Amino acid sequence: MNRIIDDLLIVLLLCVIALFVVFMILPLVVAVTMAFDGRNYMGAFPPTDFSLQWVHKFFGDEFYMKGVRTSFLIAFFTMIISTGVGLAAAVALADRDFPGKDLLAALFLSPLVIPAVVIGFALLLFFSQIGVFDGFIRLLAGHVLITIPYAIRVSLAGLVAIPKSTREAALVLGANEWKAFWTITLPLAKTNVFAAAIFAFIFSMDDVAVSLFLSSVDAYTLPVAMVGMMRSAFDLSVAAGAVFLMVVMTTIMLAADILFGIGKVLTRR
Amino acid sequence: MTAEVLEENAPASRLNAGRILLLTPPAIVLLLLLIIPILNILDQSFRTFQAGRVGAVAGGGRTLQNYLELLDSAYFYYFVETFRISFIGTVISVVLAFPIAYLITRLRSQFLRGVVAGGLIGIISVSTLVRVYALLLTFGAVGFGRPLSSLLGVTMSSSEYTEFMVLLGLVYFHTPISVLILIGSIQAINPRLIEAAQSLGAPRWKSHLSVTIPLALPGIGAAFVISFAVCVSAFVIPLILGAGRVQFVSNLIYSRFSVVSNYPSGSAISIVLLITAVLLVIILPWIFSKIFAKSPIFARVQK
């Protein structure tokens, strides 16, 4: 009897897992396929013929392209600022203990716990009250805030892994703190610093919630443009945009892994 | 030895000055972009709403009105719905994730294990909006929405099917994360314990029920807490898949800004959501630790 229950459960389990795998992969397949739909209306899946019309429409539409440009610019500046500021915080936190260190570390990571919508709403109201209406500045500020916790965490993990004796050896041999940082600490932590930078870039490109609040008519990111299109037009150019976003992010991550080996940061414990 | 000498000789003030210098930029960012804006909405949440005004009148008095109106059934309903749908979504995610995580840890080939885990990480790292849109296409009118809704016995435009779409979204996002969390805790279980139970005559299902699951409870708890806390503050999933019919608290905040421009009310809902999210992260693990400590099976296996 128990054998039968065992066997039945195993079969049931395998079915559930097979269904799960299909559930995970199917939507992405559908989205990519629909982006190359040859029909000029939103027909049912699967498409009967294929064309690049939606891709052309996406790249030819100034509304999207403006979003693409803003997204890249914001992600780039967010990456620079977050990595720099995050590394500074991580260096301070990686050093010896000091009073209030745990509290400070918790505070630096707190944007992770706060719902993105609350961050977006609070920043929007604050900027409106102090008179900052420039969409680009607002977006950059919001993206820096939400990426800094990741930058600090990833940099800190790299810095903590460096044996203290290495830096102390440099100090004993006459290097000053500044020189020891640039010649010893930073080169040893560089994989994590690169990873922090890439994460900041990717999370900035990915954000929807905070950006929806902080965008303005002439400064909006690609995801914001796509949400706008999803609501106003039933049009598969959004699918083309989704494929574009997927390709860009995957390329960046693969390139970063090949060039800097940041995959190690994810798998190493 | 040298380290100790160095520590004693190091001029403390110089080190502190350097540290303060390093901590200044992140502190400024957090103060300016997080602490002040949050305190600002806390202040705004006690103000009276005036149509057509961003922020409240400076000299105006304070009121609890914005919080009291949340107790009104129309608003309270958003909170109840958010919690109910999040709870169902989280339970499905964790229950689905457990056997998958278990199977991954039992894969003999390290290569295959890497492929499966890599695939999960790959899917998680696809842009949030892309995944939500992909779900909308797949389970909406363009995809399999019609056959699936008739299979469930509802129409595609019904609120039941919309809720189903939102649930699919939550499960799609949180199952892979739960799997990755559970892999860690299942890997830590000594497989000999399960083998021992089975060689002593326990059928497989019973050995898992009495050994694997109790031992993995801390991991299951962690997966539940993380998924639930993130579900409750979900925004993009209900925004796109909820089609305006199923709305979470986050969406209510967004409409306070985009539709009615009622900032004091939006501030009050934001503060409540913020406190809820923080409390969940603090309270749920505490509850779980209490339950685990009292659970006789867990205590027995722990020994």
Side-chain angles (χ1 to χ4, degrees):
Chain A
M1 185 59 198
N2 275 326
R3 278 304 292 262
I4 298 167
I5 297 179
D6 269 357
D7 290 346
L8 274 177
L9 278 177
I10 286 172
V11 171
L12 187 76
L13 204 63
L14 290 178
C15 289
V16 169
I17 287 169
L19 214 66
F20 172 74
V21 172
V22 172
F23 173 56
M24 280 286 125
I25 295 169
L26 182 73
L28 297 177
V29 173
V30 170
V32 173
T33 318
M34 291 310 277
F36 300 100
D37 194 341
R39 296 166 294 184
N40 58 1
Y41 57 95
M42 255 182 128
F45 178 83
T48 44
D49 59 329
F50 294 92
S51 82
L52 288 175
Q53 57 166 332
W54 301 116
V55 180
H56 285 305
K57 181 158 190 238
F58 174 75
F59 284 106
D61 191 338
E62 185 49 30
F63 177 67
Y64 282 124
M65 288 304 108
K66 207 168 177 180
V68 171
R69 282 195 297 273
T70 310
S71 266
F72 273 111
L73 276 177
I74 298 272
F76 178 75
F77 287 118
T78 298
M79 174 177 81
I80 305 243
I81 298 172
S82 280
T83 316
V85 174
L87 183 62
V91 168
L93 292 175
D95 218 9
R96 266 165 279 152
D97 284 343
F98 56 91
K101 181 176 159 177
D102 291 339
L103 186 74
L104 214 55
L107 190 67
F108 285 158
L109 298 180
S110 62
L112 288 176
V113 190
I114 301 174
V117 171
V118 175
I119 291 181
F121 186 83
L123 276 177
L124 174 81
L125 190 54
F126 176 64
F127 282 139
S128 304
Q129 282 175 319
I130 61 169
V132 176
F133 295 105
D134 187 281
F136 193 87
I137 292 176
R138 293 196 305 201
L139 283 169
L140 185 58
H143 285 207
V144 165
L145 181 66
I146 55 172
T147 51
I148 267 191
Y150 298 101
I152 294 179
R153 255 193 154 154
V154 177
S155 307
L156 191 58
L159 292 172
V160 170
I162 300 171
K164 275 204 164 60
S165 52
T166 339
R167 196 178 69 100
E168 276 155 5
L171 292 176
V172 167
L173 291 171
N176 58 23
E177 292 267 355
W178 183 250
K179 198 171 179 190
F181 174 76
W182 287 104
T183 54
I184 306 293
T185 313
L186 192 60
L188 283 173
K190 74 169 188 295
T191 310
N192 278 62
V193 176
F194 280 133
I198 296 298
F199 286 161
F201 192 94
I202 296 278
F203 286 127
S204 166
M205 285 222 97
D206 188 41
D207 176 71
V208 182
V210 173
S211 306
L212 262 181
F213 282 93
L214 302 176
S215 287
S216 64
V217 184
D218 44 30
Y220 50 84
T221 59
L222 176 61
V224 171
M226 283 165 63
V227 169
M229 277 309 236
M230 263 179 229
R231 286 168 160 185
S232 60
F234 284 96
D235 181 321
L236 283 169
S237 58
V238 181
V243 172
F244 173 75
L245 211 53
M246 260 168 94
V247 171
V248 167
M249 286 202 185
T250 315
T251 312
I252 290 171
M253 276 191 279
L254 285 181
D257 191 32
I258 293 165
L259 291 175
F260 314 122
I262 66 161
K264 274 183 284 180
V265 178
L266 281 176
T267 46
R268 190 176 55 201
R269 294 239 161 204
Chain B
M1 191 57 196
T2 40
E4 278 164 37
V5 172
L6 201 75
E7 205 130 324
E8 275 165 27
N9 292 349
S13 59
R14 190 171 62 95
L15 262 177
N16 280 342
R19 190 178 280 149
I20 289 168
L21 208 65
L22 285 170
L23 287 171
T24 307
I28 289 177
V29 168
L30 278 169
L31 188 71
L32 208 62
L33 300 180
L34 188 72
I35 298 171
I36 294 177
I38 297 279
L39 290 177
N40 180 46
I41 56 167
L42 182 64
D43 173 50
Q44 285 291 324
S45 69
F46 293 109
R47 305 284 184 170
T48 323
F49 168 57
Q50 232 186 17
R53 221 188 131 88
V54 176
V57 195
R62 290 168 198 268
T63 169
L64 277 173
Q65 184 55 36
N66 300 308
Y67 288 98
L68 291 176
E69 74 178 18
L70 293 181
L71 293 174
D72 190 78
S73 60
Y75 289 109
F76 196 65
Y77 180 72
Y78 283 95
F79 283 90
V80 174
E81 283 295 279
T82 303
F83 269 80
R84 184 178 64 83
I85 299 173
S86 297
F87 183 77
I88 301 172
T90 306
V91 169
I92 297 175
S93 299
V94 176
V95 169
L96 196 60
F98 188 82
I100 297 165
Y102 180 80
L103 227 70
I104 292 174
T105 59
R106 288 293 167 270
L107 283 176
R108 278 174 206 257
S109 136
Q110 185 150 23
F111 172 74
L112 213 59
R113 258 203 322 260
V115 168
V116 179
L120 285 174
I121 292 174
I123 284 182
I124 292 174
S125 52
V126 172
S127 160
T128 313
L129 186 64
V130 171
R131 282 186 284 166
V132 175
Y133 180 67
L135 285 169
L136 180 70
L137 280 182
T138 310
F139 299 102
V142 171
F144 308 102
R146 236 167 282 278
L148 206 60
S149 56
S150 62
L151 197 74
L152 294 169
V154 290
T155 57
M156 238 186 76
S157 54
S158 65
S159 63
E160 285 88 357
Y161 191 73
T162 314
E163 189 182 316
F164 173 73
M165 291 267 281
V166 173
L167 270 176
L168 280 183
L170 296 179
V171 172
Y172 191 87
F173 276 76
H174 292 289
T175 312
I177 297 171
S178 302
V179 170
L180 292 176
I181 295 170
L182 286 172
I183 285 178
S185 70
I186 296 176
Q187 235 161 13
I189 299 172
N190 188 344
R192 297 221 174 103
L193 289 173
I194 301 155
E195 284 162 22
Q198 286 173 6
S199 66
L200 289 172
R204 281 183 184 201
W205 62 271
K206 216 168 181 174
S207 70
H208 287 313
L209 211 61
S210 56
V211 180
T212 320
I213 293 178
L215 278 177
L217 269 184
I220 294 172
F224 186 89
V225 171
I226 293 172
S227 296
F228 190 67
V230 180
C231 279
V232 165
S233 49
F235 172 66
V236 184
I237 295 173
L239 179 77
I240 306 294
L241 298 174
R245 281 186 290 270
V246 174
Q247 291 200 316
F248 277 28
V249 178
S250 293
N251 307 104
L252 185 64
I253 296 174
Y254 182 64
S255 67
R256 291 281 103 166
F257 143 68
S258 67
V259 183
V260 288
S261 295
N262 185 341
Y263 291 91
S265 166
S267 299
I269 309 168
S270 295
I271 292 293
V272 174
L273 182 62
L274 173 65
I275 292 172
T276 312
V278 173
L279 282 184
L280 282 179
V281 176
I282 296 169
I283 287 182
L284 281 182
W286 182 78
I287 294 174
F288 274 111
S289 70
K290 289 282 161 198
I291 296 172
F292 297 152
K294 277 190 185 145
S295 150
I297 315 169
F298 185 62
R300 204 167 62 214
V301 188
Q302 277 294 69
K303 280 176 203 159

